[in-house]
Amino acid sequence: MTLTFQNLRKQYGSHLAIDDVSVHFEPGLVHGVIGPNGAGKSTLVNMTAGSYVVSGGEIRLDGKTLSGLKKYQIANSGVARTYQNIRLFDQMTVLENLEVCFYPTQVGQVWREILWPPFATARRKERTRACMELLSFFDLQNYADAEAGSLPYGRQRMLEIARALVMNPRVLLLDEPAAGLNHHETAELTARLAELKSPDRIMIVIEHDMDLVMTVCDRIVVMHHGKLLFQGTPAEVQASSDVQLAYLGTANDLDDIKAAAQDRRTQLGIRARRRS
Ligand SMILES: Nc1ncnc2c1ncn2[C@@H]1O[C@H](COP(=O)(O)OP(=O)(O)OP(=O)(O)O)[C@@H](O)[C@H]1O
Ligand SMILES: [Mg+2]
């Protein structure tokens, strides 16, 4: 099983957000996608999951072309994702958020559920059991009957990942799963992600939290201005001068950034003194 981006392009009007990107993603590994704001990371996830149409090139899973398929067809091919901004069903309970995603993928199963009550009962039990197991994995079992929208932010992030896992996806796409988490929650997430690694699953994690990326990822893709800047192991990425430049700019830029930050601190200090 491989997921392949082949000469991928995405154009928003006249803006080229993804420019000729080719990457292979392998199962059993966690692939990190990093890059400065606006580099095109979420656009890659949105195209893979079918939320955005590709402007050029191809996305293939196991040789089957995903680009051009509808969102539900891509989901049924085994691709699941989370969002940069959490999107839960706020009014539903935590358990229901998972159960709605546990749907029969074959028409035959749908008819059996409708026409044969014992089968429907067995399916319902299996659904609840599988969803509770996932909730326990994310330490959410005590929230099962709570409204999803009432959960603390960190728990909502975990619930979103749990929901993406309900159909046991072959490809798991996580768009900034650590965004807004505190240090303790990020450590918990890092441990969970490491446990989710499986020979049957391709994991792609977009993240700005470099501790998480360097700990959990086996391979890292670095995006910059819509282009693939670098790919390699965490050690190779850390040693790359191209990557350092993309994040920090040139040595002169760095001096300018430091001077601007100092300037800003001085201004804030003056304002604070005036107020007191
Ligand atoms: N729906 C859209 N319509 C128009 N332009 C878009 C759209 N989505 C993204 N863009 C633009 O495409 C570029 C890449 O955006 P994208 O969201 O993929 O970046 P990102 O790497 O995920 O950034 P961040 O780290 O801030 O989340 C940006 O210039 C952004 O403004
Ligand atoms: Mg993004």
Side-chain angles (χ1 to χ4, degrees):
M1 175 176 53
T2 48
L3 176 73
T4 309
F5 296 165
Q6 190 73 48
N7 304 112
L8 207 54
R9 273 190 341 108
K10 177 65 187 176
Q11 191 122 16
Y12 297 112
S14 61
H15 177 59
L16 190 57
I18 296 294
D19 185 3
D20 197 22
V21 168
S22 298
V23 192
H24 292 282
F25 299 98
E26 291 169 36
L29 302 180
V30 181
H31 297 266
V33 180
I34 64 171
N37 293 115
K41 306 178 299 293
S42 295
T43 300
L44 289 176
V45 164
N46 283 322
M47 288 194 291
T48 309
S51 300
Y52 292 172
V53 178
V54 309
S55 307
E58 238 188 0
I59 300 173
R60 284 199 306 271
L61 178 60
D62 266 347
K64 175 183 165 187
T65 303
L66 294 184
S67 36
L69 296 183
K70 303 239 180 308
K71 255 166 110 167
Y72 77 88
Q73 291 171 316
I74 294 175
N76 286 347
S77 303
V79 178
R81 56 98 43 105
T82 63
Y83 293 86
Q84 188 165 339
N85 301 311
I86 297 176
R87 292 193 199 177
L88 290 168
F89 306 118
D90 282 344
Q91 318 294 316
M92 293 167 86
T93 69
V94 166
L95 180 59
E96 284 166 352
N97 262 270
L98 265 53
E99 286 185 331
V100 287
C101 299
F102 194 96
Y103 56 89
T105 47
Q106 289 152 7
V107 180
Q109 270 189 336
V110 179
W111 283 111
R112 274 180 85 188
E113 266 198 46
I114 294 170
L115 298 173
W116 194 30
F119 180 72
T121 308
R123 278 271 307 171
R124 202 163 39 243
K125 275 194 187 148
E126 168 57 14
R127 186 172 61 207
T128 305
R129 189 204 57 75
C131 294
M132 283 307 296
E133 198 173 290
L134 264 176
L135 289 183
S136 299
F137 179 73
F138 286 98
D139 206 15
L140 288 165
Q141 67 280 12
N142 296 335
Y143 292 102
D145 297 324
E147 268 191 17
S150 72
L151 256 55
Y153 182 83
R155 296 289 102 202
Q156 292 195 20
R157 278 260 171 231
M158 298 294 175
L159 178 56
E160 233 205 353
I161 302 173
R163 188 177 61 179
L165 285 163
V166 165
M167 294 298 274
N168 196 18
R170 293 192 293 159
V171 179
L172 179 65
L173 307 163
L174 304 177
D175 195 350
E176 296 199 29
L181 298 189
N182 63 32
H183 188 68
H184 173 75
E185 290 164 337
T186 304
E188 181 191 342
L189 173 68
T190 306
R192 291 293 91 78
L193 293 184
E195 287 176 69
L196 286 172
K197 247 164 77 157
S198 145
D200 303 322
R201 180 175 294 137
I202 294 168
M203 287 173 68
I204 301 179
V205 182
I206 293 178
E207 239 329 308
H208 284 290
D209 186 310
M210 285 305 131
D211 282 345
L212 183 149
V213 170
M214 296 302 164
T215 306
V216 100
C217 295
D218 304 288
R219 299 267 190 284
I220 298 175
V221 167
V222 187
M223 295 292 298
H224 190 44
H225 293 315
K227 290 187 197 297
L228 175 66
L229 177 75
F230 190 87
Q231 53 181 325
T233 62
E236 287 165 348
V237 166
Q238 276 173 308
S240 158
S241 52
D242 283 348
V243 176
Q244 285 167 20
L245 279 181
Y247 271 96
L248 299 174
T250 62
N252 284 343
D253 289 344
L254 196 55
D255 285 343
D256 289 348
I257 291 166
K258 279 182 185 161
Q262 183 57 44
D263 221 31
R264 177 107 183 98
R265 268 198 295 277
T266 314
Q267 283 172 11
L268 288 173
I270 291 166
R271 259 189 239 133
R273 275 198 297 279
R274 271 192 199 139
R275 240 182 270 125
S276 58

